[in-house]
PDB file of all heavy atoms in Angstrom:
ATOM      1  N   MET A 314     -36.731 -13.210  35.775  1.00 81.00           N
ATOM      2  CA  MET A 314     -36.407 -12.101  34.893  1.00 81.00           C
ATOM      3  C   MET A 314     -34.905 -11.822  34.884  1.00 81.00           C
ATOM      4  O   MET A 314     -34.305 -11.546  33.842  1.00 81.00           O
ATOM      5  CB  MET A 314     -37.173 -10.843  35.319  1.00 81.00           C
ATOM      6  CG  MET A 314     -38.676 -10.912  35.038  1.00 81.00           C
ATOM      7  SD  MET A 314     -39.047 -11.177  33.279  1.00 81.00           S
ATOM      8  CE  MET A 314     -38.367  -9.679  32.571  1.00 81.00           C
ATOM      9  N   GLN A 324     -26.241 -13.993  25.286  1.00 71.00           N
ATOM     10  CA  GLN A 324     -26.473 -14.211  23.862  1.00 71.00           C
ATOM     11  C   GLN A 324     -25.906 -13.058  23.039  1.00 71.00           C
ATOM     12  O   GLN A 324     -25.305 -13.268  21.985  1.00 71.00           O
ATOM     13  CB  GLN A 324     -27.973 -14.360  23.588  1.00 71.00           C
ATOM     14  CG  GLN A 324     -28.563 -15.676  24.088  1.00 71.00           C
ATOM     15  CD  GLN A 324     -30.063 -15.742  23.865  1.00 71.00           C
ATOM     16  OE1 GLN A 324     -30.716 -14.724  23.631  1.00 71.00           O
ATOM     17  NE2 GLN A 324     -30.619 -16.940  23.938  1.00 71.00           N
ATOM     18  N   ASN A 346     -15.803 -11.734  25.137  1.00 89.00           N
ATOM     19  CA  ASN A 346     -16.776 -12.562  24.426  1.00 89.00           C
ATOM     20  C   ASN A 346     -16.083 -13.493  23.439  1.00 89.00           C
ATOM     21  O   ASN A 346     -14.868 -13.395  23.206  1.00 89.00           O
ATOM     22  CB  ASN A 346     -17.808 -11.673  23.721  1.00 89.00           C
ATOM     23  CG  ASN A 346     -17.201 -10.905  22.551  1.00 89.00           C
ATOM     24  OD1 ASN A 346     -16.014 -10.613  22.555  1.00 89.00           O
ATOM     25  ND2 ASN A 346     -18.027 -10.578  21.570  1.00 89.00           N
ATOM     26  N   LYS A 348     -15.997 -13.603  20.194  1.00 90.00           N
ATOM     27  CA  LYS A 348     -15.313 -12.911  19.097  1.00 90.00           C
ATOM     28  C   LYS A 348     -13.957 -12.399  19.564  1.00 90.00           C
ATOM     29  O   LYS A 348     -12.968 -12.442  18.819  1.00 90.00           O
ATOM     30  CB  LYS A 348     -16.178 -11.760  18.580  1.00 90.00           C
ATOM     31  CG  LYS A 348     -15.584 -11.051  17.365  1.00 90.00           C
ATOM     32  CD  LYS A 348     -15.474 -11.986  16.166  1.00 90.00           C
ATOM     33  CE  LYS A 348     -14.953 -11.265  14.937  1.00 90.00           C
ATOM     34  NZ  LYS A 348     -14.850 -12.167  13.759  1.00 90.00           N
ATOM     35  N   LEU A 353      -8.041 -12.698  19.574  1.00 92.00           N
ATOM     36  CA  LEU A 353      -6.826 -12.812  20.375  1.00 92.00           C
ATOM     37  C   LEU A 353      -6.154 -14.173  20.219  1.00 92.00           C
ATOM     38  O   LEU A 353      -4.953 -14.303  20.460  1.00 92.00           O
ATOM     39  CB  LEU A 353      -7.148 -12.559  21.847  1.00 92.00           C
ATOM     40  CG  LEU A 353      -7.632 -11.145  22.182  1.00 92.00           C
ATOM     41  CD1 LEU A 353      -8.126 -11.085  23.622  1.00 92.00           C
ATOM     42  CD2 LEU A 353      -6.525 -10.128  21.965  1.00 92.00           C
ATOM     43  N   ASP A 364      -3.436  -9.522  32.911  1.00 93.00           N
ATOM     44  CA  ASP A 364      -3.157  -8.100  32.767  1.00 93.00           C
ATOM     45  C   ASP A 364      -3.162  -7.771  31.270  1.00 93.00           C
ATOM     46  O   ASP A 364      -2.355  -8.298  30.504  1.00 93.00           O
ATOM     47  CB  ASP A 364      -1.796  -7.760  33.383  1.00 93.00           C
ATOM     48  CG  ASP A 364      -1.518  -6.268  33.387  1.00 93.00           C
ATOM     49  OD1 ASP A 364      -1.478  -5.671  32.299  1.00 93.00           O
ATOM     50  OD2 ASP A 364      -1.337  -5.702  34.489  1.00 93.00           O
ATOM     51  N   ILE A 370      -0.652  -5.992  24.733  1.00 92.00           N
ATOM     52  CA  ILE A 370      -0.211  -4.723  24.143  1.00 92.00           C
ATOM     53  C   ILE A 370       1.272  -4.806  23.804  1.00 92.00           C
ATOM     54  O   ILE A 370       2.072  -5.288  24.598  1.00 92.00           O
ATOM     55  CB  ILE A 370      -0.472  -3.545  25.096  1.00 92.00           C
ATOM     56  CG1 ILE A 370      -1.975  -3.421  25.387  1.00 92.00           C
ATOM     57  CG2 ILE A 370       0.054  -2.245  24.510  1.00 92.00           C
ATOM     58  CD1 ILE A 370      -2.826  -3.152  24.159  1.00 92.00           C
ATOM     59  N   PRO A 372       5.053  -3.734  23.403  1.00 91.00           N
ATOM     60  CA  PRO A 372       5.865  -2.888  24.286  1.00 91.00           C
ATOM     61  C   PRO A 372       5.999  -1.454  23.795  1.00 91.00           C
ATOM     62  O   PRO A 372       5.974  -0.516  24.606  1.00 91.00           O
ATOM     63  CB  PRO A 372       7.228  -3.607  24.292  1.00 91.00           C
ATOM     64  CG  PRO A 372       6.900  -5.031  23.980  1.00 91.00           C
ATOM     65  CD  PRO A 372       5.747  -4.983  23.034  1.00 91.00           C
ATOM     66  N   GLU A 373       6.134  -1.270  22.483  1.00 92.00           N
ATOM     67  CA  GLU A 373       6.319   0.078  21.957  1.00 92.00           C
ATOM     68  C   GLU A 373       5.064   0.933  22.057  1.00 92.00           C
ATOM     69  O   GLU A 373       5.126   2.162  21.911  1.00 92.00           O
ATOM     70  CB  GLU A 373       6.797   0.035  20.500  1.00 92.00           C
ATOM     71  CG  GLU A 373       5.864  -0.685  19.543  1.00 92.00           C
ATOM     72  CD  GLU A 373       6.214  -2.150  19.358  1.00 92.00           C
ATOM     73  OE1 GLU A 373       6.767  -2.749  20.307  1.00 92.00           O
ATOM     74  OE2 GLU A 373       5.938  -2.693  18.274  1.00 92.00           O
ATOM     75  N   ASN A 374       3.909   0.303  22.283  1.00 91.00           N
ATOM     76  CA  ASN A 374       2.653   1.045  22.418  1.00 91.00           C
ATOM     77  C   ASN A 374       2.144   1.100  23.850  1.00 91.00           C
ATOM     78  O   ASN A 374       1.105   1.722  24.107  1.00 91.00           O
ATOM     79  CB  ASN A 374       1.570   0.411  21.537  1.00 91.00           C
ATOM     80  CG  ASN A 374       1.963   0.329  20.077  1.00 91.00           C
ATOM     81  OD1 ASN A 374       2.043  -0.753  19.504  1.00 91.00           O
ATOM     82  ND2 ASN A 374       2.218   1.471  19.463  1.00 91.00           N
ATOM     83  N   ASN A 380      -1.809   5.478  28.895  1.00 92.00           N
ATOM     84  CA  ASN A 380      -2.320   6.837  29.114  1.00 92.00           C
ATOM     85  C   ASN A 380      -3.782   6.955  28.699  1.00 92.00           C
ATOM     86  O   ASN A 380      -4.579   7.638  29.366  1.00 92.00           O
ATOM     87  CB  ASN A 380      -1.473   7.845  28.332  1.00 92.00           C
ATOM     88  CG  ASN A 380      -0.070   7.993  28.891  1.00 92.00           C
ATOM     89  OD1 ASN A 380       0.159   7.742  30.084  1.00 92.00           O
ATOM     90  ND2 ASN A 380       0.868   8.396  28.055  1.00 92.00           N
ATOM     91  N   GLY A 388     -12.646   9.257  33.769  1.00 86.00           N
ATOM     92  CA  GLY A 388     -13.885   9.863  33.303  1.00 86.00           C
ATOM     93  C   GLY A 388     -13.691  10.874  32.197  1.00 86.00           C
ATOM     94  O   GLY A 388     -14.650  11.476  31.712  1.00 86.00           O
ATOM     95  N   GLU A 397      -7.783   3.851  18.178  1.00 92.00           N
ATOM     96  CA  GLU A 397      -7.220   2.709  17.456  1.00 92.00           C
ATOM     97  C   GLU A 397      -5.828   2.396  17.983  1.00 92.00           C
ATOM     98  O   GLU A 397      -5.022   3.308  18.190  1.00 92.00           O
ATOM     99  CB  GLU A 397      -7.116   3.030  15.951  1.00 92.00           C
ATOM    100  CG  GLU A 397      -8.458   3.276  15.271  1.00 92.00           C
ATOM    101  CD  GLU A 397      -8.289   3.656  13.806  1.00 92.00           C
ATOM    102  OE1 GLU A 397      -7.136   3.616  13.322  1.00 92.00           O
ATOM    103  OE2 GLU A 397      -9.292   3.992  13.153  1.00 92.00           O
ATOM    104  N   ASP A 419     -20.512   1.507  39.578  1.00 88.00           N
ATOM    105  CA  ASP A 419     -21.264   0.740  40.570  1.00 88.00           C
ATOM    106  C   ASP A 419     -22.573   1.458  40.879  1.00 88.00           C
ATOM    107  O   ASP A 419     -22.910   2.480  40.265  1.00 88.00           O
ATOM    108  CB  ASP A 419     -20.422   0.521  41.834  1.00 88.00           C
ATOM    109  CG  ASP A 419     -20.012   1.828  42.498  1.00 88.00           C
ATOM    110  OD1 ASP A 419     -20.612   2.878  42.169  1.00 88.00           O
ATOM    111  OD2 ASP A 419     -19.096   1.810  43.344  1.00 88.00           O
ATOM    112  N   GLY A 426     -14.397   0.394  36.306  1.00 90.00           N
ATOM    113  CA  GLY A 426     -13.701  -0.304  35.233  1.00 90.00           C
ATOM    114  C   GLY A 426     -14.028   0.255  33.863  1.00 90.00           C
ATOM    115  O   GLY A 426     -14.615   1.337  33.735  1.00 90.00           O
ATOM    116  N   ALA A 454      -0.043   7.726 -13.806  1.00 83.00           N
ATOM    117  CA  ALA A 454      -0.279   7.313 -15.188  1.00 83.00           C
ATOM    118  C   ALA A 454      -0.951   8.441 -15.978  1.00 83.00           C
ATOM    119  O   ALA A 454      -0.621   8.680 -17.153  1.00 83.00           O
ATOM    120  CB  ALA A 454      -1.137   6.059 -15.225  1.00 83.00           C
ATOM    121  N   ILE A 460       1.883  14.176 -20.207  1.00 78.00           N
ATOM    122  CA  ILE A 460       3.232  14.513 -20.681  1.00 78.00           C
ATOM    123  C   ILE A 460       3.457  13.935 -22.076  1.00 78.00           C
ATOM    124  O   ILE A 460       4.046  14.588 -22.951  1.00 78.00           O
ATOM    125  CB  ILE A 460       4.292  13.982 -19.699  1.00 78.00           C
ATOM    126  CG1 ILE A 460       4.215  14.756 -18.379  1.00 78.00           C
ATOM    127  CG2 ILE A 460       5.690  14.089 -20.292  1.00 78.00           C
ATOM    128  CD1 ILE A 460       5.098  14.189 -17.284  1.00 78.00           C
ATOM    129  N   ILE A 467       4.757  18.640 -29.249  1.00 78.00           N
ATOM    130  CA  ILE A 467       6.030  19.340 -29.434  1.00 78.00           C
ATOM    131  C   ILE A 467       6.858  18.654 -30.513  1.00 78.00           C
ATOM    132  O   ILE A 467       7.486  19.311 -31.361  1.00 78.00           O
ATOM    133  CB  ILE A 467       6.807  19.393 -28.099  1.00 78.00           C
ATOM    134  CG1 ILE A 467       6.053  20.266 -27.091  1.00 78.00           C
ATOM    135  CG2 ILE A 467       8.222  19.918 -28.316  1.00 78.00           C
ATOM    136  CD1 ILE A 467       6.673  20.267 -25.713  1.00 78.00           C
ATOM    137  N   SER A 493      35.220  23.038 -49.549  1.00 85.00           N
ATOM    138  CA  SER A 493      35.448  24.213 -48.701  1.00 85.00           C
ATOM    139  C   SER A 493      35.180  23.878 -47.243  1.00 85.00           C
ATOM    140  O   SER A 493      34.522  22.880 -46.895  1.00 85.00           O
ATOM    141  CB  SER A 493      34.537  25.368 -49.146  1.00 85.00           C
ATOM    142  OG  SER A 493      33.181  25.044 -48.867  1.00 85.00           O
ATOM    143  N   ALA A 509      18.972  14.932 -33.991  1.00 83.00           N
ATOM    144  CA  ALA A 509      17.762  15.589 -33.502  1.00 83.00           C
ATOM    145  C   ALA A 509      16.515  14.882 -34.034  1.00 83.00           C
ATOM    146  O   ALA A 509      15.508  14.742 -33.324  1.00 83.00           O
ATOM    147  CB  ALA A 509      17.763  17.056 -33.923  1.00 83.00           C
ATOM    148  N   LEU A 517       7.996  10.926 -30.239  1.00 70.00           N
ATOM    149  CA  LEU A 517       6.792  10.411 -30.894  1.00 70.00           C
ATOM    150  C   LEU A 517       6.448   9.018 -30.372  1.00 70.00           C
ATOM    151  O   LEU A 517       5.275   8.678 -30.226  1.00 70.00           O
ATOM    152  CB  LEU A 517       6.996  10.379 -32.410  1.00 70.00           C
ATOM    153  CG  LEU A 517       7.028  11.745 -33.103  1.00 70.00           C
ATOM    154  CD1 LEU A 517       7.418  11.592 -34.563  1.00 70.00           C
ATOM    155  CD2 LEU A 517       5.669  12.432 -32.969  1.00 70.00           C
ATOM    156  N   GLY A 530      14.266  -8.534 -37.942  1.00 87.00           N
ATOM    157  CA  GLY A 530      15.511  -8.524 -38.704  1.00 87.00           C
ATOM    158  C   GLY A 530      16.692  -8.889 -37.827  1.00 87.00           C
ATOM    159  O   GLY A 530      16.541  -9.241 -36.655  1.00 87.00           O
TER     160      GLY A 530
END
Side-chain angles (χ1 to χ4, degrees):
M314 289 302 297
Q324 288 177 343
N346 69 332
K348 184 63 177 180
L353 295 171
D364 186 299
I370 299 299
E373 59 267 29
N374 303 119
N380 291 334
E397 297 177 6
D419 60 16
I460 292 173
I467 294 174
S493 68
L517 289 172

